[in-house]
């Protein structure tokens, strides 16, 4: 019988202790960074392209486990243009959801941490005075002497103007921030207000002991300062109407278990839309829904995107959903982006062998096949990733060159690029759109 030390996945006690020490040291450093006190100038940056609302630039998000460091997102770079829908596709475990959770700063800590890279976002931040307080905008009136003065209420206090949602109006400033470098406290003013997320499974995301109304109102009261309970209830019911719920007042009083899967998914969308966000992250929004409800949810997302003039980051493994919804497509494999382009580029002219395999594995209406194609082999271990192309061991078009360093991106057209040695020599290219 072979010695345990010869086994590929064997970790000795000494190695385990060393991994634990290194993990603890790294986690303390990253947690200290997130809890630091920082001024907006410390995490202010510039967009590479002003037409984008989000730019991921060489993002690395790792999980520090007892067996080693899991590189869930390992150098992801792509952009989301303002007013567009970008579909992120790939098989389970490729890093789609971890990329979106990194954007929201919701990666499960302390083991999960954003290690390096940038996430640039065009944000509207509250202006602050010397003491760090928000600066309100007051109502004014013209006095009998023709001088403009701030209005006072019966108690002699200044009256703050109200915004479109019924909350207090504050002075704002447009600023490009690097979310990967923002402290947690500063991120709370963006998460839910400017970037919101429709989570993957509504039954596990909604709290079973609170009514739908309570959960909607909580978002409004948290992010819309100065709004009354009566106003936030009316706004919540309006959101339920917007997502196509026939009896919004009735659903407002119900618990999650009293609703169907499609209704719960609509409630999740209503919660995401409550504060008129610039960007909606839809993580598998049609999972576990029947085909009819899927079509309704997709139509709803498309309609809402135009109403709020926002952008959508659509995460899914369903290529049919992506073909119908997305303007741009990003294909991920083992924590990296392997191909990106417009929807027409990816579906009409797939280049990477993995993208081709994904499309061949999907049944077609007019195709007559006895057996669907299956990509051979297995996804590499995310703890000990190879230096060469991660797809090499599963690729049916592998070349000798594929045993070298991980391939750089090759720009095939102005909108289409691929990381594969099958397509030309290494070229310097910018972020994909």
């Amino acid at each position: 019988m072979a010695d345990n030390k010869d086994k590929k996945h064997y970790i000795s006690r000494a190695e385990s202790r060393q991994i634990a020490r290194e993990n603890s040291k790294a986690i303390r450093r990253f947690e200290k960074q997130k809890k630091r006190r920082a001024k907006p100038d410390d995490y202010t940056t510039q967009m590479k392209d002003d037409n984008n609302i989000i730019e991921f630039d060489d993002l690395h998000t790792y999980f520090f486990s007892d067996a080693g460091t899991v590189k869930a997102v390992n150098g992801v770079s792509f952009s989301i243009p303002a007013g567009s829908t970008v579909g992120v596709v790939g098989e389970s475990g490729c890093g789609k959801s971890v990329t979106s959770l990194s954007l929201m700063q919701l990666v499960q800590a302390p083991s999960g941490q954003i290690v390096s890279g940038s996430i640039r976002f065009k944000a509207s931040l509250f202006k602050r005075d010397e003491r760090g307080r928000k600066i309100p905008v007051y109502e004014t009136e013209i006095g009998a002497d023709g001088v403009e003065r701030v209005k006072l209420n019966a108690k002699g206090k200044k009256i703050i103007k109200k915004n479109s949602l019924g909350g207090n109006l504050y002075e704002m400033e447009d600023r490009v921030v690097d979310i990967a470098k923002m402290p947690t406290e500063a991120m709370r003013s963006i998460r839910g207000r400017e970037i919101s997320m429709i989570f993957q499974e509504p039954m596990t995301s909604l709290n079973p002991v609170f009514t739908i109304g309570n959960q909607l109102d909580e978002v409004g009261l948290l992010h819309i300062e100065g709004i009354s309970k009566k106003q936030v209830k009316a706004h919540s019911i309006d959101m339920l109407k917007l997502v196509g719920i026939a009896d919004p007042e009735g659903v407002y009083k119900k618990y999650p278990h009293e609703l169907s899967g499609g209704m719960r998914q609509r409630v999740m969308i209503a919660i995401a839309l409550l504060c008129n966000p610039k960007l909606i992250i839809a993580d598998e929004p049609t999972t576990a829904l029947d085909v009819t409800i899927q079509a309704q949810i997709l139509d709803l997302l498309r309609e809402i995107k135009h109403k709020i003039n926002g952008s959508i980051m659509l995460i899914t493994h369903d290529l049919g959903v992506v073909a119908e919804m997305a303007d741009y497509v990003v294909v991920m494999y083992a924590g990296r982006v392997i191909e990106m382009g417009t929807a027409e580029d990816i579906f009409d002219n797939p280049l990477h062998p993995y993208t081709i395999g994904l499309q061949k594995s999907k049944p077609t209406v007019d195709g007559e096949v006895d057996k669907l194609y299956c990509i051979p082999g297995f996804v590499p271990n995310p703890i000990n990733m190879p230096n060469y192309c991660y797809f090499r061991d599963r690729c049916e078009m592998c070349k000798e060159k594929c045993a070298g360093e991980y391939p750089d991106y090759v720009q095939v057209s102005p909108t289409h690029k691929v990381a594969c040695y099958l397509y030309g020599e290494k070229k310097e290219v910018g972020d994909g759109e």
Side-chain angles (χ1 to χ4, degrees):
M1 186 175 177
D3 190 85
N4 277 343
K5 291 182 180 179
D6 296 329
K7 293 183 178 179
K8 186 177 180 182
H9 300 294
Y10 176 76
I11 297 176
S12 68
R13 188 177 298 174
E15 288 173 329
S16 180
R17 286 199 296 266
Q18 178 65 18
I19 289 171
R21 282 195 296 269
E22 290 176 358
N23 287 352
S24 179
K25 185 178 178 181
I27 288 169
R28 283 199 302 271
R29 185 174 78 251
F30 291 123
E31 286 295 306
K32 183 178 179 182
Q33 184 76 0
K34 288 194 292 187
K35 293 175 182 177
R36 77 191 191 282
R37 288 187 177 181
K39 296 179 179 178
D41 291 340
D42 297 335
Y43 46 82
T44 298
T45 183
Q46 293 290 327
M47 302 293 277
K48 286 187 177 179
D49 185 347
D50 282 338
N51 295 320
N52 296 328
I53 191 168
I54 284 283
E55 292 178 350
F56 293 90
D57 190 358
D58 196 28
L59 178 67
H60 292 76
T61 302
Y62 297 168
F63 289 87
F64 298 94
S65 72
D66 294 337
T69 303
V70 178
K71 297 180 179 180
V73 174
N74 195 16
V76 164
S77 298
F78 68 91
S79 305
I80 301 178
S84 67
T85 299
V86 173
V88 184
V89 300
E91 61 193 336
S92 296
C94 71
K96 307 184 301 293
S97 293
V98 177
T99 301
S100 67
L101 291 172
S102 300
L103 171 56
M104 295 287 283
Q105 277 198 13
L106 290 177
V107 178
Q108 189 172 4
S111 61
Q113 300 287 343
I114 298 173
V115 174
S116 64
S118 299
I119 307 173
R120 295 183 287 272
F121 172 63
K122 279 185 176 179
S124 296
L125 302 180
F126 293 105
K127 280 189 177 180
R128 307 275 177 172
D129 60 18
E130 296 81 5
R131 298 173 65 181
R133 297 177 300 186
K134 299 175 189 174
I135 303 173
V137 177
Y138 296 108
E139 289 188 17
T140 58
E141 60 182 351
I142 305 296
D145 54 359
V147 178
E148 187 177 13
R149 293 185 179 86
V150 175
K151 273 189 181 182
L152 303 177
N153 60 17
K155 295 182 179 179
K157 292 184 177 180
K158 296 176 181 179
I159 301 173
I160 301 175
K161 275 187 178 180
K162 297 294 181 180
N163 58 29
S164 59
L165 299 176
N168 293 339
L169 184 64
Y170 294 94
E171 290 186 25
M172 309 294 290
E173 59 178 342
D174 292 330
R175 189 185 288 259
V176 178
V177 297
D178 188 347
I179 289 175
K181 294 179 176 62
M182 286 182 80
T184 305
E185 189 64 34
M187 183 62 194
R188 288 190 182 124
S189 68
I190 292 177
R191 188 196 301 125
R193 185 177 66 87
E194 298 228 285
I195 306 174
S196 61
M197 189 167 183
I198 304 165
F199 291 96
Q200 191 163 345
E201 176 48 60
M203 198 60 210
T204 56
S205 302
L206 293 170
N207 194 320
V209 300
F210 291 106
T211 63
I212 298 301
N214 279 333
Q215 296 181 63
L216 279 161
D217 291 352
E218 181 185 19
V219 177
L221 292 170
L222 180 65
H223 292 290
I224 310 170
E225 190 174 325
I227 195 170
S228 67
K229 289 184 178 180
K230 185 177 179 181
Q231 286 175 314
V232 81
K233 179 180 178 180
H235 187 50
S236 297
I237 291 172
D238 286 342
M239 285 296 105
L240 292 175
K241 287 178 185 175
L242 180 66
V243 297
I245 291 177
D247 179 23
E249 289 83 3
V251 169
Y252 180 88
K253 299 174 184 176
K254 289 183 177 179
Y255 289 87
H257 70 271
E258 298 180 88
L259 306 179
S260 67
M263 293 277 273
R264 286 195 292 266
Q265 192 64 277
R266 289 171 187 270
V267 169
M268 290 298 299
I269 296 172
I271 291 174
L273 294 173
L274 203 72
C275 297
N276 293 342
K278 292 180 181 177
L279 176 69
I280 301 170
I281 303 169
D283 189 359
E284 303 279 8
T286 57
T287 299
L289 299 178
D290 61 68
V291 178
T292 307
I293 302 301
Q294 279 188 26
Q296 292 176 4
I297 295 296
L298 294 178
D299 288 340
L300 175 63
L301 283 173
R302 195 183 296 107
E303 181 185 345
I304 283 168
K305 190 193 84 165
H306 292 302
K307 279 186 178 179
I308 67 172
N309 195 27
S311 305
I312 296 177
M313 179 179 173
L314 179 65
I315 298 168
T316 183
H317 59 268
D318 191 331
L319 294 176
V321 170
V322 173
E324 184 180 346
M325 287 285 295
D327 303 309
Y328 301 92
V329 181
V330 175
V331 185
M332 288 187 67
Y333 179 76
R336 281 182 179 259
V337 175
I338 50 115
E339 186 173 357
M340 65 180 77
T342 63
E344 291 79 10
D345 290 334
I346 300 300
F347 287 96
D348 295 342
N349 184 32
L351 298 177
H352 198 283
Y354 176 67
T355 311
I356 295 168
L358 280 181
Q359 295 203 27
K360 285 167 67 178
S361 65
K362 191 177 188 301
T364 57
V365 176
D366 56 350
E368 294 183 8
V369 290
D370 297 327
K371 188 177 180 181
L372 285 174
Y373 175 78
C374 178
I375 299 173
F378 301 95
V379 178
N381 186 344
I383 292 176
N384 298 307
M385 299 299 283
N387 293 324
Y388 51 82
C389 175
Y390 299 162
F391 193 64
R392 193 197 76 165
D393 297 333
R394 303 177 69 186
C395 185
E396 296 175 344
M397 294 182 270
C398 186
K399 298 165 57 176
E400 285 185 15
K401 202 172 183 181
C402 298
E405 293 182 358
Y406 194 93
D408 286 297
Y409 290 112
V410 175
Q411 195 85 45
V412 182
S413 75
T415 58
H416 194 181
K417 68 178 181 177
V418 60
C420 184
Y421 281 118
L422 294 173
Y423 304 96
E425 297 299 320
K426 178 173 71 173
K427 294 181 182 179
E428 293 295 327
V429 295
D431 283 346
E433 294 185 356

